[in-house]
Amino acid sequence: MSEHLPALQVVVPLLAAPVCFALRNAAFARAVCLAATWSSLAIAWTLLRQVLQSGPISYALGGWPAPLGIEYRVTVVGAFLLVVVSAVASIVLLYDRGSEQQRLPASRHYLYYATFLLCLAGLLGIPITGDLFNIFVFVEISSLATYALIALGRSRRALLAAYSYLIVGTIGATFFLIGIGMLYQMTGTLNIEDLRQRLPDVLDTRTVLIGFSFLVVGTAIKLAVFPLHQWLPNAYSYAPAKVSAFLAGTATKVSYYVMLRLIFSIFGVGFVFATHRFDLVLMPLSLAAMLVGAIAACYQDDLRRLLAYSSISQVGYMTLAICLANVQGLAGGIVHTMNHGFTKSALFLVIATFVQRTGSSSVGSVAGLGRVMPLQGIAFLVGGLSLIGVPGTAGFVSKWLLVLGALEKGQVWVAVAMLLSSLLAVVYVWRVVEKLYFGEPVASASSEDGESEAPGPSGSALWRATPTALLIGLVILLGIWTEPSAEVALAAASELLGVAR
Amino acid sequence: MTATSGLWMYWAIIALMMVGLYVVIARDNLVKKVMGLNIFQSSAILFFVAMAKVSGGTAPILTGGEGTAYSNPLPHVLMLTAIVVGVATTALALALTVRIQEAYGTVEEDELAREERLEDRSLSRKSQ
């Protein structure tokens, strides 16, 4: 049984989706969905422990060995991402039952759960597969499900957000496909391990260089690297609350994994950074993302948009880690996927609770809510501190590792830029916190804009508080008890860079 | 000269790719954008199929004859998947377009932008 865990990781949510579809009952579908996500989390956790103990696991799908068949390969960084994605999915799914009642009538809720599971299956497939074309297929599975989930948003703008994300995302995925074609043309293989061995012979050809460009641009669109981030704010701010929380914690993180694999596992540091100086492109873009994203977040009036721009800024930190290309910096980027994923999901859930109460998602509408809903207020405060990177929260750990990595490279100005971006984070977090605690409560806002929702039954308050509390608890735990996550990230980074620790 | 004439299909594929991208970027109509996207995806599919062709090769079905050259079947198989993905994307895009038409009464991007501006203005007036 346990040797089939890599396959089960993807198969469980993938098969649970049609089961949800067949059940045609929201309560049953929800139960199936919860069972599937939590068992994926258990599988991911087991895999991570196995990988840390005994090195990469290779699984031949259908019994066909690697170069011919599709190989599932569990690496440290992949297993880490599996844990992050399945943990965010499991916890966010606990969030109350009412929040997905956006555009779907109650009789169709099972469809939401089926789509959610398909999205999860795609996102879990990407970090586990060892086959480049398989990555494309999983990217498309998760993306298609994501477009559908975003379109469920209450406002009609969700449709436009989903449509433009679909166009941009499909162009990105097709770029990725063309890149795969060029690599296949030069090497005759799609297996990542095989590619790593065969590419050095043809690295100086133009086809490989162009293939690299197509692959990186395609991934960068999905990752929302600075000038390619336009789809993200709309998608996050108009999607249903639970969906934004899920996507913010998973989608860009998985694309980040693809980027890591491309640069470090397939093409190698020598080709990307020494021969072609890709860092000269990526570094300014990362710094621009960190600063522009944070500045844009300061000017947003909508809470969810504010968080979305903050995500763009945080993606900048993660791509910065790629440019540093040393163990500590890269570990900072990898552990940031987890720390930022948990933080952002928690914040989106808090905002969702506020929206449920006030009927509006503008910054002004949360005035005084910190006193009315003390727990949610504290949750936002802790999440905000983690975004800034205050010691004692998860955000600090990753930024600390990043700064160490930058200093190790002697790039003090990078550390300065990170500090500057963190100061900007103080500004946008403070804008909300000030309203929360020092603003005068406004009477429950009007529901004319169609954004509001009838206050849910009080029984669902517990469902709403539990996942937020879990995520915030993790943020604090990872901030204080830093060794495990940082150790895994350091192991993952040394594995990617191919250095022994 | 031989290099360019032997690679004419790649020029055609690049031309198709650019046409597709141009349509996606330049057209305001959401349905036309989807068409552009389809052209763009088709160019990628043709790229794989062209790559798989072995000159003088036949369809890769083992007929037993020694020394027969076969085309490479793998890219064809990959493209079956890519076609399925493309169909799913198109279906979803068109479904979204229908919903947009229902919600806004138009599928022209400039008119949608105008609608949004009007909505923004009425919202900000309400909150004042």
Side-chain angles (χ1 to χ4, degrees):
Chain A
M1 183 67 183
S2 77
E3 76 264 31
H4 291 302
L5 281 181
L8 284 174
Q9 179 80 81
V10 182
V11 168
V12 166
L14 198 61
L15 281 187
V19 170
C20 279
F21 185 76
L23 283 173
R24 297 187 173 262
N25 174 308
F28 287 143
R30 181 183 153 85
V32 170
C33 196
L34 274 173
T37 48
W38 282 92
S39 46
S40 323
L41 178 58
I43 295 171
W45 184 252
T46 322
L47 284 176
L48 179 64
R49 293 185 57 118
Q50 279 182 13
V51 169
L52 284 176
Q53 269 171 13
S54 49
I57 305 166
S58 174
Y59 179 86
L61 215 60
W64 294 88
L68 281 184
I70 292 170
E71 181 197 20
Y72 275 13
R73 196 174 176 81
V74 192
T75 53
V76 179
V77 57
F80 187 74
L81 259 294
L82 290 176
V83 170
V84 174
V85 170
S86 49
V88 170
S90 314
I91 297 176
V92 167
L93 201 65
L94 288 176
Y95 194 77
D96 79 324
R97 274 162 273 197
S99 65
E100 67 271 11
Q101 304 172 358
Q102 317 270 344
R103 269 168 174 272
L104 282 180
S107 59
R108 294 269 186 87
H109 275 180
Y110 65 94
L111 290 173
Y112 165 83
Y113 293 110
T115 322
F116 184 92
L117 281 170
L118 282 178
C119 186
L120 179 67
L123 290 173
L124 289 175
I126 298 166
I128 208 170
T129 185
D131 185 281
L132 207 52
F133 188 77
N134 220 227
I135 290 187
F136 163 76
V137 174
F138 280 125
V139 164
E140 281 294 41
I141 292 177
S142 66
S143 305
L144 283 168
T146 308
Y147 310 142
L149 286 174
I150 290 172
L152 289 177
R154 252 171 307 176
S155 139
R156 60 180 183 172
R157 288 190 186 190
L159 298 171
L160 286 180
Y163 183 90
S164 53
Y165 183 21
L166 184 146
I167 296 288
V168 175
T170 307
I171 290 177
T174 311
F175 268 39
F176 196 80
L177 183 62
I178 295 167
I180 293 173
M182 293 187 163
L183 288 198
Y184 178 73
Q185 213 168 11
M186 293 311 292
T187 61
T189 182
L190 294 166
N191 185 290
I192 291 179
E193 286 301 307
D194 247 21
L195 273 172
R196 186 218 297 268
Q197 282 161 20
R198 292 196 200 176
L199 261 184
D201 299 337
V202 287
L203 262 187
D204 48 352
T205 56
R206 194 184 290 163
T207 316
V208 168
L209 181 60
I210 293 173
F212 172 72
S213 320
F214 269 115
L215 287 167
V216 164
V217 172
T219 317
I221 290 176
K222 288 278 174 190
L223 177 57
V225 174
F226 166 57
L228 306 170
H229 67 275
Q230 290 298 336
W231 58 269
L232 190 141
N234 279 335
Y236 281 14
S237 40
Y238 298 123
K242 205 195 262 185
V243 174
S244 320
F246 174 55
L247 291 181
T250 55
T252 50
K253 315 295 178 282
V254 169
S255 314
Y256 181 64
Y257 165 85
V258 177
M259 193 69 115
L260 288 177
R261 291 291 271 177
L262 282 178
I263 291 179
F264 295 103
S265 299
I266 298 180
F267 289 94
V269 182
F271 173 79
V272 178
F273 294 125
T275 319
H276 290 293
R277 297 312 310 267
F278 182 54
D279 50 336
L280 292 184
V281 181
L282 194 58
M283 181 72 101
L285 292 183
S286 311
L287 295 177
M290 277 160 53
L291 298 174
V292 176
I295 292 171
C298 294
Y299 284 99
Q300 297 307 315
D301 270 334
D302 184 284
L303 286 167
R304 300 215 270 164
R305 234 172 213 303
L306 185 150
L307 290 184
Y309 276 104
S310 144
S311 275
I312 292 164
S313 154
Q314 305 288 333
V315 166
Y317 286 100
M318 296 198 282
T319 48
L320 184 72
I322 296 181
C323 303
L324 292 175
N326 55 22
V327 172
Q328 282 183 321
L330 204 54
I334 293 168
V335 81
H336 202 54
T337 59
M338 176 184 258
N339 294 341
H340 176 244
F342 289 164
T343 308
K344 223 6 114 39
S345 297
L347 286 173
F348 267 109
L349 288 182
V350 174
I351 301 284
T353 317
F354 289 158
V355 173
Q356 204 124 9
R357 187 179 178 95
T358 62
S360 155
S361 58
S362 69
V363 173
S365 70
V366 298
L369 273 186
R371 280 166 292 177
V372 187
M373 308 167 88
L375 284 178
Q376 302 285 346
I378 290 170
F380 190 91
L381 192 62
V382 175
L385 291 177
S386 176
L387 277 188
I388 299 165
V390 175
T393 59
F396 173 70
V397 183
S398 28
K399 289 196 180 174
W400 176 249
L401 283 169
L402 272 171
V403 168
L404 284 182
L407 293 182
E408 188 187 316
K409 259 207 148 183
Q411 293 173 325
V412 181
W413 51 280
V414 170
V416 173
M418 285 177 57
L419 191 69
L420 205 62
S421 164
S422 299
L423 287 176
L424 287 166
V426 175
V427 176
Y428 63 71
V429 169
W430 176 251
R431 274 185 66 209
V432 183
V433 171
E434 186 198 8
K435 283 278 179 204
L436 271 177
Y437 285 98
F438 305 107
E440 278 307 308
V442 284
S444 193
S446 62
S447 57
E448 291 160 281
D449 53 358
E451 288 273 325
S452 82
E453 190 171 290
S458 55
S460 62
L462 184 68
W463 283 109
R464 226 170 280 159
T466 317
T468 318
L470 270 175
L471 284 168
I472 289 295
L474 281 171
V475 166
I476 297 174
L477 188 71
L478 291 170
I480 295 170
W481 191 38
T482 58
E483 285 88 8
S485 62
E487 280 299 309
V488 175
L490 285 168
S494 0
E495 177 197 65
L496 278 173
L497 290 166
V499 280
R501 289 184 66 224
Chain B
M1 195 56 218
T2 46
T4 41
S5 58
L7 299 174
W8 63 270
M9 68 276 198
Y10 292 114
W11 290 101
I13 288 162
I14 295 291
L16 212 53
M17 198 181 282
M18 292 303 119
V19 168
L21 261 185
Y22 177 79
V23 173
V24 173
I25 295 165
R27 291 291 122 185
D28 275 344
N29 188 302
L30 298 190
V31 179
K32 287 183 183 164
K33 269 182 193 288
V34 176
M35 291 177 182
L37 204 61
N38 271 326
I39 297 174
F40 181 58
Q41 285 179 318
S42 307
S43 75
I45 291 167
L46 286 177
F47 172 58
F48 273 78
V49 172
M51 167 206 319
K53 175 71 182 165
V54 175
S55 51
T58 66
I61 303 165
L62 272 181
T63 46
E66 278 293 314
T68 330
Y70 297 110
S71 286
N72 184 354
L74 187 87
H76 295 176
V77 179
L78 298 182
M79 283 313 102
L80 276 183
T81 316
I83 290 169
V84 172
V85 167
V87 169
T89 314
T90 310
L92 187 59
L94 290 177
L96 283 174
T97 315
V98 170
R99 295 270 306 278
I100 290 170
Q101 166 75 32
E102 283 168 6
Y104 288 87
T106 174
V107 290
E108 295 289 334
E109 215 164 41
D110 47 346
E111 288 170 30
L112 288 169
R114 201 182 311 139
E115 282 278 304
E116 294 217 317
R117 273 199 303 278
L118 286 175
E119 200 177 281
D120 279 339
R121 215 170 296 154
S122 72
L123 275 183
S124 61
R125 205 172 297 145
K126 224 177 276 172
S127 63
Q128 273 163 15

